[in-house]
Amino acid sequence: MRTYAQYCPIVRAVEVLGDRWTLLIVRDMLVGASRFNELSRGLPGLSRALLSRRLRQLASAGLVQRTGDGYLLTPAGQALRPLVFGLADWGARYAFGDPRADELDPEVLMWWMHGRIDTGTLDKRANIEVRINDRRRTFWLVVEPGDASICYTDPGLEVDAVLASDIATLFRMWEGEVGLLDAVRAGAIELTGTRWVVRGLPEWLKLSPVAEHVRAARV
């Protein structure tokens, strides 16, 4: 690895963290991803070969350790939390504008959303059909006590509710730019179906881990 040949702690940090994808791998691990396939699904533009290389580099730097079934951040890796979410705060205030077309991947959004469902208050299963109107794509978010999964083909379950909108609006809701209920009231998002699911989903869905930074930047 080429170095910057400067004796400075900032330089040393950049040498460890400055490679493409490295901070995004750390971001995903900070919010709960621990298995190789989880990291790969959340970062679809990153090849599996390069993901393996970056994980080895992070392990060599003492930020990640291999476990029996995946990877964990070490205390040094966990100590990056203020830096990563500090970048989220700065980005929300000074670099976060309208979404670009290449940023609006519906499968990535569904993967992120299913990982941020709080199932702690559920006492039975709910099947939520998610329709992305402008992409003509449909997904099924199946939530039940202790588990949430995303299906890319019809699971054959009775649909309890339908969530429908265009992809940009769904991403804006996920990132905290617009509230789910506000978007429903404005007609930008359709949420219909069984009353207990329609009322529950805004509570179950915890949004992106950076949503609070995006909301704060809009104040």
Side-chain angles (χ1 to χ4, degrees), residues 60-75:
S60 179
L63 304 183
V64 167
Q65 64 184 22
R66 186 72 185 266
T67 65
D69 60 353
Y71 301 85
L72 288 177
L73 291 171
T74 64

Side-chain angles (χ1 to χ4, degrees), residues 21-176:
W21 295 106
T22 297
L23 277 176
L24 296 184
I25 294 169
V26 173
R27 175 202 67 181
D28 284 10
M29 295 187 72
L30 284 169
V31 298
S34 61
R35 293 180 172 84
F36 187 91
N37 285 340
E38 290 175 337
L39 291 164
S40 182
R41 291 287 294 274
L43 298 166
L46 172 60
S47 73
R48 294 174 72 87
L50 185 53
L51 174 57
S52 293
R53 189 186 315 159
R54 291 290 183 263
L55 287 168
R56 288 195 300 270
Q57 290 170 336
L58 287 167
S60 179
L63 304 183
V64 167
Q65 64 184 22
R66 186 72 185 266
T67 65
D69 60 353
Y71 301 85
L72 288 177
L73 291 171
T74 64
Q78 288 288 348
L80 289 169
R81 184 178 297 274
L83 171 64
V84 171
F85 287 98
L87 285 172
D89 188 71
W90 183 91
R93 293 179 185 279
Y94 303 112
F96 198 51
D98 293 334
R100 301 189 297 262
D102 63 347
E103 296 174 323
L104 302 178
D105 186 325
E107 292 193 8
V108 170
L109 177 61
M110 293 299 104
W111 179 255
W112 286 347
M113 284 176 62
H114 103 277
R116 293 282 291 174
I117 297 288
D118 181 0
T119 61
T121 61
L122 287 165
D123 57 9
K124 57 183 175 179
R125 184 179 63 200
N127 179 28
I128 303 159
E129 187 173 280
V130 182
R131 299 175 186 167
I132 302 179
N133 297 329
D134 57 330
R135 298 294 181 90
R136 298 182 180 179
R137 295 290 304 275
T138 302
F139 303 87
W140 291 266
L141 183 61
V142 181
V143 297
E144 52 194 322
D147 186 52
S149 59
I150 189 70
C151 299
Y152 300 94
T153 58
D154 191 342
L157 303 172
E158 181 179 354
V159 172
D160 297 296
V162 174
L163 176 71
S165 188
D166 62 274
I167 186 65
T169 299
L170 289 174
F171 262 100
R172 283 193 164 104
M173 177 272 292
W174 165 252
E175 295 290 351

